[in-house]
């Protein structure tokens, strides 16, 4: 009986426990996570969190890539995926919303959630982001009385409607953390603090209005405003820069959040290729967490592609690769990705102590300092930094000596052992190649010659094709006319030349002198192509003087004026115009002929655009003419070819080096603008990048004199196995027969480690007991390949970089044998710098290193 009673008592208590558990469970599933913050960090369900976040913009890749991008970020030690919301992609015309394909925001967020990651939603909805018109729909500019980003009723009401639309969508899909979803923070506006002074009182009011409007949305998670120097207490103000360790939030109760750490930079057509060295990115992140940082976001972690006409500008390239840890094509960029992964692991080992410990900051020298965090359990973690941008420095810390390379931070999760130093990259360098693959024709009938592509072409008529859209006196603004429905606007005027003009006799052609606000133009006289002129990323305006052939009687002067992405940031940016402002002719008997106020005819867009000939359903258009020998170096021509998908599943780039300027589509999907415009050979490029010292976008440029962009990403998911329709519109002339696909592949891997490199791979316990020879080198080949040969291996004092390593004065002759033994025919291998593998007694006075270059196939 007693037993029974006890039994029923325990049944009762289990029942109560179960009930309590069910209540907790239903509370977390219905109420979700409680996201708050204090001065130290975000607090999720009562726990302080140190968070590493990564920007991946959903429309800059395709849904088929999202799972692997998110997974690669997660493997890289990322906790949070951050994205802007792209208003002009979602509301193409007033009140018409679009969330399909690359704009399926809900799907993107649900994938993040499924991967177990958090998300930050930067709604903006003004976002800059090198995105067309900064993300705001162009139509909004043409609603009379609208001024962006100030207390303009029209602007505020549209901004509020869109923000509310997005918030409601998120709520409906239960995507806020407060509902159990992944979104832990939302952002309103973007870096408005820089521009607010230009808008005077209206700007101040607008900033406060934006914050209040956001907070009143009741998302249940905090709102942030980045670079907003007067942000109200109801939101958290955050920092954007290459370094944010010295940033302090306005209010003492707010955590230190870094919304944009730029691990590289964007490119503009005609400029060079910027790179930020991994050592410096890691340094900036380590310094941030050393100095009390709570959440850091890489802008961008995957930059991706500005497909179609989405790139902002002017002149932002179609590639938005950004030198980011995941490259445009979705491959981990090594060593950057791996070095940051190691950094994240090291920082996470310190998380509890740095978020909950007591901080002591001590100086270790004029430019050296240690931050020590000790928590209540006695756990101690430390960051020791050498801010000297020239020299390494030996410092003494807690009675031990540490050598700190210049401009570096060492991380000591136990205040004793260094597991990571920002300047010592142990991660492999991958050798990535673009392997050319000829365009292969799709064989639809056995008679067809399979070795040559069957081309179809359609030629545009230079000048006003068909009927002019309108005729008026004077020159109009390009953007006000096209409203960005196309890049192209024809300007055309007639000039009468009388028989007694002297230049008809002397042969001294008159000079055409023109000024344009931008962005680029092709000039035609009487249907004949004369010249192409364009502005640049630093100044979109241009002017030109060019002699032109005029005949007696009527002459037609036509400009194909072009925009190359609309302005995406700056005060009153929506008013920046484009197109011609003055046109003159010099060399007439009467002197200068001013054509500015002539009667001009205008035509918006190209005939091919009007016919939608790049779209799949318009493919059978009668305008196309078949040829096996497509014209070369011809202006204003559309090309079409039916091609097979390149072999395998490597990411694909379209090689447009043989072409001039234009746009491309595959199966009706917009690949984007192409323009192999070269940067100047005289620009400042570096062969070796010195990571030491403050980084600026132009510090470590490469590619001087090369085309800024040669390859254009064509997502694999856009291809069918065969019968793919490639359409190219070429403006100024190229050779389409030389267009090819390239497969992007990792074909090799290099590694370089020194005896004194720290290793995360050994646990702290192992480190204490093991000898000092613990550094190791790891090589990994992509799936489906293995290490097929070792090109170089030297343990000793090798020099050089991946692709050009050389033996030094000190070299262990058994290096190659040991490396081969460990690595050959394997997908991945790790070589430890230890006596079993190498002669560790070699040249005892030098620090020895192992350098390896392996081939993956
Ligand atoms: C920031 C801006 C971002 C992006 C970045 C440069 O100022 O907030 O949207 O434009 O610069 O890539």
């Amino acid at each position: 009986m007693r037993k029974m009673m006890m039994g029923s008592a325990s049944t009762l208590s289990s029942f109560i426990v179960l009930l309590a558990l069910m209540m907790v469970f239903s509370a977390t599933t219905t109420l979700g996570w409680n996201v708050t913050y204090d001065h130290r960090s975000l607090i999720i369900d009562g726990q302080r969190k140190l968070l590493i976040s990564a920007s991946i913009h959903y429309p800059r890749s395709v849904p088929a890539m999202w799972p692997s991008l998110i997974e690669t970020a997660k493997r890289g030690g990322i906790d949070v995926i951050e994205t802007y919301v792209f208003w002009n992609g979602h509301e193409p015309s007033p009140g018409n919303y679009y969330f399909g394909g690359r704009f399926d925001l809900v799907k993107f967020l649900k994938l993040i959630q499924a991967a177990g990651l958090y998300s930050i939603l930067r709604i903006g909805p003004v976002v800059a982001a090198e995105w067309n018109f900064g993300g705001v729909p162009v139509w909004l500019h043409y609603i009379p009385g609208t001024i962006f980003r100030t207390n303009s009723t029209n602007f505020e009401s549209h901004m509020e409607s869109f923000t509310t639309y997005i918030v409601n969508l998120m709520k409906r899909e239960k995507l806020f953390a407060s509902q159990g979803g992944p979104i832990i923070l939302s952002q309103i506006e973007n870096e408005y603090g820089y521009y607010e002074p230009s808008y005077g009182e209206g700007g101040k009011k607008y900033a406060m209005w934006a914050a209040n409007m956001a907070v009143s949305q009741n998302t249940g998670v905090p709102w942030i405003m980045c670079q907003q120097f007067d942000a109200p207490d109801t939101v958290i103000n955050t920092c954007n820069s290459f370094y944010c360790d010295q940033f302090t939030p306005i209010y003492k109760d707010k955590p230190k959040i870094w919304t944009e750490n730029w691990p590289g930079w964007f490119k503009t057509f005609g400029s060079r290729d910027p790179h930020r060295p991994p050592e410096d990115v890691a340094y900036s992140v380590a310094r941030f967490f050393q100095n009390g940082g709570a959440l850091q976001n890489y802008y961008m972690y995957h930059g991706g592609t500005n497909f179609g006409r989405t790139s902002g500008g002017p002149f932002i390239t179609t590639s938005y690769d950004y030198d980011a840890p995941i490259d445009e094509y979705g491959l981990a960029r090594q060593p950057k990705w791996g070095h940051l992964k190691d950094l994240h692991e090291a920082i996470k080992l310190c998380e509890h102590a740095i978020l909950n410990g007591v901080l002591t900051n001590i100086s270790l020298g004029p430019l050296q300092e240690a931050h020590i965090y000790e928590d209540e359990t006695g756990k101690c973690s430390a960051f020791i930094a050498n801010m000297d941008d020239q020299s390494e420095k030996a410092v003494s810390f807690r009675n031990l000596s540490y050598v700190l390379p210049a401009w570096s931070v060492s991380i000591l999760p136990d205040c004793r052992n260094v597991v990571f130093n920002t300047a010592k990259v142990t991660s492999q360098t991958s050798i990535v190649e673009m392997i050319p693959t000829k365009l292969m024709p799709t064989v639809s009938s056995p008679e067809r010659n399979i070795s040559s592509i069957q081309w179809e072409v359609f030629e545009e008529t230079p000048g006003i094709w068909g009927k002019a859209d309108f005729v008026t006196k004077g020159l109009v603004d390009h953007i006000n006319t096209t409203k960005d429905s196309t890049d192209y606007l024809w300007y055309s005027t007639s000039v009468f030349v009388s028989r007694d003009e002297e230049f008809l006799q002397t042969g001294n052609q008159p000079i055409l002198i023109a000024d344009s606000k931008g962005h680029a133009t092709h000039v035609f006289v009487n249907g004949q192509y004369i010249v192409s002129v364009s502005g640049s990323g630093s100044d979109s305006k241009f002017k030109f003087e060019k002699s032109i052939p005029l005949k007696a009687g009527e002459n037609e002067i036509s400009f194909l004026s072009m925009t190359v992405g609309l302005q995406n940031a700056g005060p009153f940016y929506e008013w920046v115009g484009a197109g011609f402002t003055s046109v003159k002719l010099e060399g007439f008997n009467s002197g200068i002929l001013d054509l500015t106020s002539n009667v001009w005819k205008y035509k918006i867009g190209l005939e091919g655009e009007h016919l939608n000939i790049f779209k799949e359903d318009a493919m059978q258009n009668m305008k196309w003419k078949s040829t096996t020998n497509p014209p070369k170096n011809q202006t204003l021509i559309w090309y079409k070819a039916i091609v097979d998908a390149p072999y395998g599943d490597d990411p694909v780039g379209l090689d447009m080096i043989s072409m001039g300027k234009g746009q491309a589509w595959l199966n009706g999907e917009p690949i984007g603008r192409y323009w192999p415009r070269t940067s100047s050979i005289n620009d400042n490029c570096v062969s070796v990048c010195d990571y030491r010292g403050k980084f600026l976008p132009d510090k470590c440029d490469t590619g001087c004199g090369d085309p800024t962009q040669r390859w254009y990403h064509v997502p694999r998911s856009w291809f069918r196995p065969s019968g793919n329709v490639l359409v190219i519109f070429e403006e100024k002339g190229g050779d389409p027969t030389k267009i090819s696909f390239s497969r992007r592949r990792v074909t090799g891997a290099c590694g370089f480690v020194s005896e004194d490199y720290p290793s995360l791979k050994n646990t702290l316990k192992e480190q204490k007991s093991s000898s000092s020879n613990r550094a190791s080198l790891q090589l990994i080949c992509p799936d489906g390949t293995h290490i097929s040969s070792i090109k170089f291996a030297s343990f000793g004092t090798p020099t050089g970089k991946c692709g050009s390593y050389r033996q030094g004065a000190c070299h262990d002759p058994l290096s190659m044998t040991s490396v081969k033994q460990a690595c050959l025919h394997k997908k991945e291998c790790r070589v430890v710098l230890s006596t079993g593998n190498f002669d560790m007694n070699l040249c005892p006075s030098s620090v020895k290193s192992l350098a390896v270059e392996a081939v993956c196939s």
Side-chain angles (χ1 to χ4, degrees):
M1 180 75 183
R2 216 173 145 224
K3 217 171 164 191
M4 260 183 71
M5 288 221 8
M6 270 181 67
S8 57
S10 76
T11 315
L12 188 68
S13 60
S14 335
F15 178 71
I16 293 168
V17 170
L18 192 70
L19 200 69
L21 273 174
M22 278 168 64
M23 280 165 70
V24 170
F25 180 70
S26 77
T28 42
T29 48
T30 54
L31 293 179
W33 325 103
N34 184 15
V35 183
T36 56
Y37 57 84
D38 65 5
H39 69 285
R40 192 61 193 82
S41 74
L42 288 189
I43 300 173
I44 303 183
D45 272 355
Q47 270 208 322
R48 282 193 180 145
K49 290 274 181 191
L50 188 151
L51 296 167
I52 314 274
S53 169
S55 287
I56 300 179
H57 294 159
Y58 51 101
R60 283 177 156 143
S61 58
V62 288
M65 289 171 71
W66 294 344
S68 87
L69 292 176
I70 295 167
E71 196 48 42
T72 310
K74 188 176 178 180
R75 279 195 296 119
I78 295 298
D79 310 300
V80 185
I81 306 285
E82 178 272 1
T83 182
Y84 281 131
V85 176
F86 296 88
W87 186 1
N88 51 13
H90 292 303
E91 198 178 349
S93 59
N96 292 319
Y97 294 95
Y98 176 72
F99 287 88
R102 291 181 286 121
F103 288 91
D104 194 342
L105 172 61
V106 168
K107 182 174 186 175
F108 182 68
L109 290 167
K110 289 197 169 166
L111 286 168
I112 294 170
Q113 181 174 24
L117 301 181
Y118 298 119
S119 168
I120 298 175
L121 196 66
R122 299 173 84 193
I123 299 178
V126 186
V127 296
E130 290 72 66
W131 185 264
N132 197 40
F133 223 39
V136 184
V138 174
W139 53 256
L140 184 52
H141 176 55
Y142 294 100
I143 293 186
T146 309
I147 306 174
F148 290 8
R149 305 179 99 179
T150 187
N151 65 331
S152 143
T153 317
N154 279 349
F155 184 73
E156 288 182 350
S157 74
H158 279 94
M159 171 164 162
E160 180 163 4
S161 308
F162 181 71
T163 306
T164 309
Y165 192 95
I166 293 296
V167 167
N168 287 345
L169 176 65
M170 298 297 104
K171 284 184 181 167
R172 205 181 323 131
E173 299 289 340
K174 301 219 177 331
L175 287 167
F176 286 108
S178 51
Q179 305 171 288
I183 305 169
I184 51 169
L185 290 175
S186 305
Q187 177 179 300
I188 195 74
E189 251 296 341
N190 188 72
E191 293 194 335
Y192 186 63
Y194 291 135
Y195 314 119
E196 191 177 308
S198 313
Y199 293 87
E201 273 308 303
K204 276 196 197 139
K205 283 190 192 151
Y206 164 71
M208 291 315 116
W209 168 85
N212 292 334
M213 184 272 285
V215 172
S216 71
Q217 300 277 343
N218 287 322
T219 59
V221 300
W223 285 87
I224 53 173
M225 289 182 94
C226 63
Q227 300 296 105
Q228 186 64 50
F229 314 114
D230 60 358
D233 192 15
T234 46
V235 303
I236 307 170
N237 72 301
T238 68
C239 178
N240 294 349
S241 183
F242 286 109
Y243 307 90
C244 280
D245 48 291
Q246 299 307 315
F247 165 77
T248 30
I250 306 170
Y251 304 97
K252 287 208 164 59
D253 66 329
K254 304 279 189 274
K256 180 162 162 171
I257 296 180
W258 188 0
T259 26
E260 288 185 30
N261 180 5
W262 305 306
W265 201 243
F266 57 87
K267 294 191 281 193
T268 53
F269 284 118
S271 75
R272 312 145 270 175
D273 200 356
H275 304 279
R276 186 175 180 196
E279 295 92 331
D280 181 60
V281 184
Y283 175 79
S284 69
V285 177
R287 288 290 290 153
F288 179 69
F289 287 110
Q290 169 166 20
N291 279 294
L295 189 166
Q296 185 265 166
N297 175 65
Y298 297 103
Y299 182 101
M300 302 296 297
Y301 192 77
H302 168 256
T305 311
N306 295 312
F307 294 111
R309 300 173 55 250
T310 58
S311 85
F315 298 106
I316 306 291
T317 51
T318 298
S319 167
Y320 198 59
D321 177 84
Y322 222 91
D323 198 30
I326 303 180
D327 73 19
E328 176 176 8
Y329 295 82
L331 306 180
R333 171 169 275 115
Q334 292 280 49
K336 192 173 273 184
W337 178 88
H339 191 49
L340 297 176
K341 171 184 162 65
D342 293 346
L343 166 72
H344 304 152
E345 216 173 307
I347 291 172
K348 283 298 168 81
L349 291 172
C350 311
E351 176 171 4
H352 191 266
I354 66 179
L355 288 184
N356 304 290
V358 176
L359 167 68
T360 325
N361 183 0
I362 55 169
S363 168
L364 302 174
L367 288 168
Q368 293 75 30
E369 62 180 12
H371 286 63
I372 307 139
Y373 294 92
E374 274 171 296
D375 68 19
E376 69 292 349
T377 65
K379 173 150 170 39
C380 176
S381 295
F383 287 64
I384 52 180
N386 179 11
M387 289 98 81
D388 189 327
D389 61 10
Q390 293 302 312
S391 321
E392 70 169 28
K393 176 91 179 176
V395 295
S396 163
F397 174 64
R398 296 196 160 193
N399 300 325
L400 287 174
S401 165
Y402 297 85
V403 177
L404 295 172
W407 198 255
S408 82
V409 179
S410 280
I411 299 178
L412 295 68
D414 60 353
C415 282
R416 190 181 164 86
N417 290 288
V418 177
V419 298
F420 184 85
N421 176 278
T422 56
K424 295 180 173 175
V425 179
T426 59
S427 174
Q428 79 175 31
T429 297
S430 295
I431 301 169
V432 186
E433 285 182 69
M434 297 300 284
I435 301 166
T437 335
K438 272 184 66 175
L439 292 189
M440 288 304 285
T442 293
V443 195
S444 57
S445 68
E447 310 89 68
R448 220 151 121 181
N449 174 1
I450 60 150
S451 65
S452 69
I453 299 273
Q454 187 67 35
W455 292 91
E456 289 180 64
V457 296
F458 166 60
E459 298 171 35
E460 292 272 334
T461 313
I464 307 295
W465 56 271
K467 197 171 162 294
D469 285 323
F470 62 98
V471 181
T472 189
K473 273 190 93 178
L475 296 165
V476 299
D477 180 83
H478 180 124
I479 300 170
N480 287 345
T481 310
T482 61
K483 302 201 168 48
D484 200 39
S485 57
T486 163
D487 280 1
Y488 305 100
L489 175 65
W490 280 106
Y491 290 65
S492 187
T493 195
S494 292
V495 180
F496 184 79
V497 175
S498 83
R499 297 209 170 273
D500 55 12
E501 283 297 342
E502 232 171 73
F503 67 77
L504 292 173
Q505 267 70 54
T506 61
N508 289 337
Q509 294 178 334
I511 315 276
L512 178 66
I513 305 166
D515 281 73
S516 168
K517 288 178 274 179
H519 306 157
T521 196
H522 305 301
V523 180
F524 295 82
V525 174
N526 297 325
Q528 183 194 333
Y529 170 70
I530 305 292
V531 70
S532 301
V533 201
S534 48
S536 70
S538 51
D539 185 5
S540 62
K541 293 195 283 305
F542 62 85
K543 49 170 70 203
F544 64 88
E545 297 190 4
K546 177 83 188 160
S547 58
I548 56 167
L550 292 182
K551 56 182 197 295
E554 286 297 340
N555 290 269
E556 192 190 61
I557 298 179
S558 301
F559 301 128
L560 181 60
S561 174
M562 287 163 288
T563 47
V564 191
L566 302 195
Q567 198 75 23
N568 75 97
F572 303 102
Y573 75 87
E574 77 272 30
W575 302 94
V576 175
F580 286 89
T581 50
S582 147
V583 182
K584 292 176 185 157
L585 271 173
E586 197 183 81
F588 278 66
N589 294 351
S590 56
I592 290 180
L593 208 63
D594 195 341
L595 307 180
T596 311
S597 321
N598 251 32
V599 171
W600 287 84
K601 292 187 205 162
Y602 293 91
K603 186 80 187 175
I604 299 167
L606 307 166
E607 187 176 357
E609 289 180 304
H610 281 243
L611 295 169
N612 274 330
I613 66 171
F614 47 85
K615 289 212 177 137
E616 285 226 82
D617 47 12
M619 286 299 168
Q620 297 320 318
N621 203 294
M622 299 311 284
K623 294 274 178 176
W624 290 109
K625 280 200 211 96
S626 284
T627 170
T628 41
N629 197 8
K632 295 176 186 164
N633 298 321
Q634 183 169 322
T635 54
L636 307 179
I637 180 166
W638 296 81
Y639 297 104
K640 179 167 96 172
I642 314 291
V643 296
D644 277 353
Y647 159 83
D649 54 11
D650 296 321
V652 178
L654 182 67
D655 185 350
M656 297 300 270
I657 192 78
S658 68
M659 300 301 283
K661 178 180 179 297
Q663 291 177 40
W665 293 260
L666 185 88
N667 296 330
E669 299 281 2
I671 297 169
R673 298 186 184 97
Y674 68 84
W675 191 2
R677 188 183 194 186
T678 55
S679 68
S680 163
I681 192 84
N682 300 320
D683 280 340
N684 215 354
C685 280
V686 296
S687 55
V688 180
C689 174
D690 183 353
Y691 76 88
R692 298 171 305 172
K694 286 229 152 135
F695 181 79
L696 285 172
D698 277 337
K699 183 178 171 191
C700 291
D701 288 344
T702 61
C704 290
D706 294 338
T708 314
Q709 187 175 356
R710 171 174 178 174
W711 287 278
Y712 298 80
H713 181 207
V714 191
R716 271 282 173 190
S717 61
W718 288 359
F719 283 96
R720 301 184 272 265
S722 65
N724 298 285
V725 187
L726 180 66
V727 174
I728 311 284
F729 172 62
E730 170 58 44
E731 298 164 10
K732 59 181 199 182
D735 183 352
T737 63
K738 296 218 171 80
I739 294 175
S740 69
F741 289 124
S742 293
R743 289 178 296 130
R744 191 168 175 85
R745 297 216 82 169
V746 172
T747 56
C750 290
F752 187 103
V753 287
S754 301
E755 287 174 294
D756 62 353
Y757 276 23
S759 175
L760 263 166
K761 309 300 172 226
N762 300 331
T763 64
L764 292 173
K765 213 159 117 214
E766 272 169 358
Q767 277 187 27
K768 278 180 201 144
S769 57
S770 71
S771 67
S772 61
N773 301 330
R774 61 180 190 273
S776 65
L777 181 152
Q778 190 184 24
L779 299 174
I780 306 181
C781 284
D783 288 348
T785 67
H786 62 278
I787 297 171
S788 54
S789 68
I790 305 291
K791 272 194 174 168
F792 182 92
S794 175
F795 177 73
T797 53
T799 57
K801 56 178 189 174
C802 181
S804 57
Y805 290 131
R806 282 180 308 277
Q807 278 180 22
C810 167
H811 168 72
D812 180 348
L814 288 178
S815 306
M816 188 54 108
T817 316
S818 297
V819 172
K820 278 189 172 166
Q821 209 159 41
C823 296
L824 217 50
H825 310 307
K826 295 187 179 152
K827 183 180 180 299
E828 65 176 276
C829 63
R830 181 181 291 282
V831 191
V832 184
L833 273 59
S834 65
T835 340
N837 290 325
F838 304 104
D839 179 359
M840 302 307 291
N841 298 322
L842 206 68
C843 30
S845 58
S846 6
V847 176
K848 292 177 285 299
S849 308
L850 171 65
V852 179
E853 180 179 341
V855 177
C856 298
S857 62

